[in-house]
Amino acid sequence: RREPGDRHGVDDVVAAIMTKVHGVSTTGLDIEEETYSTEYADLLLKQLAMAEKEDGVWCKAVRDLLVPHQARLEADLERLHYFNAQASAAKKTPVITHGDLIVDNILKDKSGKIYIVDWDMAKLAVSERDLWFFAKDYSGDKKIINFFLYKRYLEDIVWWLEEILTTDASDEQKQADLEGIKHIVQSF
């Protein structure tokens, strides 16, 4: 996950690039629109229940990691729903958004030029869909930023849990996914 903060001016350059992208006319573009769905994040409680019921080393590892945090995760889901109502009601003009401005999607060449890659999550949405990556430094609509922040945080956990509990990924991959969950739960 991309951490906000100045990384030798990269954040400022990315913000300038995204300001230009957000200013592009959306007329006639065939880009999916943000629906403000929480459906994927809402799978978290089902996954925790699955880990509680089933045996196996990975279910136990998930229980050991997340049961102590379950009340907080449930409260975070409630916060997501609260912020969802706020974001859904906002009357703002949608713009082209990237939606995944993590450090892996921001490349810098030898000459110092910055490139934003991996546009597969692009959508028409309010600019806060990108700006939450810079939430520390942005003074816009905090409720909309919080919606996208909580949504991403919870969806990342759900995605990793899905990989751990329902795929035949290698033990090394499952351990890496578990470490990802541990990091995000401890740092959020």
Side-chain angles (χ1 to χ4, degrees):
R1 179 166 106 73
R2 185 184 170 291
E3 300 294 336
D6 183 21
R7 290 182 330 277
H8 309 289
V10 171
D11 283 353
D12 291 339
V13 174
V14 170
I17 292 169
M18 292 313 300
T19 297
K20 289 179 183 177
V21 171
H22 292 165
V24 170
S25 172
T26 61
T27 305
L29 293 179
D30 185 24
I31 299 176
E32 181 182 354
E33 289 190 43
E34 175 63 52
T35 63
Y36 299 98
S37 171
T38 62
E39 187 175 329
Y40 193 69
D42 289 333
L43 293 174
L44 177 60
L45 297 180
K46 290 179 183 175
Q47 289 174 319
L48 291 174
M50 180 193 332
E52 282 290 321
K53 286 190 257 180
E54 295 187 18
D55 291 327
V57 65
W58 293 110
C59 287
K60 181 182 180 332
V62 166
R63 284 193 303 271
D64 291 349
L65 176 61
L66 292 181
V67 167
H69 301 283
Q70 187 160 348
R72 193 190 96 209
L73 291 169
E74 290 172 3
D76 289 345
L77 271 169
E78 287 181 30
R79 284 184 196 92
L80 173 66
H81 289 209
Y82 167 76
F83 293 128
N84 180 28
Q86 303 297 313
S88 298
K91 302 296 182 210
K92 295 181 80 174
T93 303
V95 297
I96 300 168
T97 61
H98 184 277
D100 196 21
L101 294 171
I102 61 172
V103 70
D104 295 347
N105 293 335
I106 301 168
L107 306 179
K108 188 175 185 179
D109 69 15
K110 290 179 183 178
S111 70
K113 190 170 183 176
I114 303 291
Y115 297 88
I116 300 174
V117 299
D118 194 10
W119 287 81
D120 64 319
M121 291 176 59
K123 287 186 180 182
L124 291 179
V126 295
S127 60
E128 283 85 352
R129 183 167 182 262
D130 286 333
L131 298 174
W132 76 264
F133 289 93
F134 307 94
K136 226 173 161 178
D137 305 318
Y138 180 68
S139 60
D141 192 325
K142 293 290 187 194
K143 290 178 181 168
I144 297 174
I145 286 176
N146 281 330
F147 166 73
F148 288 110
L149 181 64
Y150 275 88
K151 182 179 179 181
R152 179 60 182 263
Y153 149 68
L154 293 167
E155 286 181 348
D156 280 353
I157 294 171
V158 167
W159 187 83
W160 278 319
L161 284 173
E162 191 174 301
E163 292 295 304
I164 294 167
L165 298 173
T166 65
T167 71
D168 59 357
S170 69
D171 286 349
E172 294 80 30
Q173 183 58 55
K174 289 183 179 196
Q175 185 61 45
D177 293 338
L178 197 63
E179 290 300 318
I181 294 171
K182 181 179 178 180
H183 172 75
I184 199 169
V185 167
Q186 292 176 344
S187 64
F188 191 82

